[in-house]
Amino acid sequence: MGTSAPPIPPAEITALETELVQGMRGSSRVDVRRACKSVTRKASALLKASPEAPNRYAVLGIQFKGQKRLLGLENSEANIAALFEICRQLMDAPDEYAEARFEAEMLLLQRDQA
């Protein structure tokens, strides 16, 4: 399944990651929540614009981290559904993203066994 789609610019991925890391250091739950929502929205927009990019799993991994943190702050059905959708997408990730894929697989397994 060779893809000729252009990759997402590494600078955009780095900016997302930086925003998430800095957002996690927010001075309040509201600041952290806002940063997580911002990162997940931006990641979603990148993925929508480049759905076949070979490095889209790096963006999904960042989105996954942000969504997990968001769920910890705001346990809602919408956040749970969004997290499981990201997990489902990560299941197709190649081996270089094995860590995120494994964690996603474990969350889906726990959900299915519950």
Side-chain angles (χ1 to χ4, degrees):
M1 180 179 162
T3 179
S4 61
I8 295 167
E12 291 188 44
I13 295 171
T14 301
L16 263 183
E17 202 158 58
T18 300
E19 183 178 343
L20 182 62
V21 168
Q22 289 175 346
M24 297 288 195
R25 296 184 194 139
S27 59
S28 71
R29 286 176 59 97
V30 172
D31 290 341
V32 173
R33 181 178 164 274
R34 186 176 298 131
C36 289
K37 282 190 168 219
S38 174
V39 167
T40 57
R41 270 191 236 109
K42 289 176 183 176
S44 185
L46 276 176
L47 292 167
K48 188 173 184 176
S50 303
E52 297 300 318
N55 61 347
R56 68 189 175 276
Y57 297 104
V59 175
L60 271 170
I62 295 166
Q63 188 180 33
F64 181 62
K65 289 175 192 172
Q67 192 64 43
K68 282 191 315 181
R69 182 71 170 115
L70 188 57
L71 182 62
L73 295 168
E74 186 178 277
N75 189 356
S76 69
E77 288 296 318
N79 285 336
I80 293 169
L83 180 62
F84 287 140
E85 175 56 25
I86 295 166
C87 288
R88 189 195 60 72
Q89 291 175 44
L90 278 169
M91 296 304 295
D92 297 330
D95 289 345
E96 71 184 275
Y97 304 102
E99 187 176 322
R101 185 181 66 209
F102 176 75
E103 192 173 352
E105 184 176 3
M106 295 308 295
L107 280 173
L108 289 174
L109 245 137
Q110 288 174 346
R111 178 199 64 187
D112 293 345
Q113 290 180 349

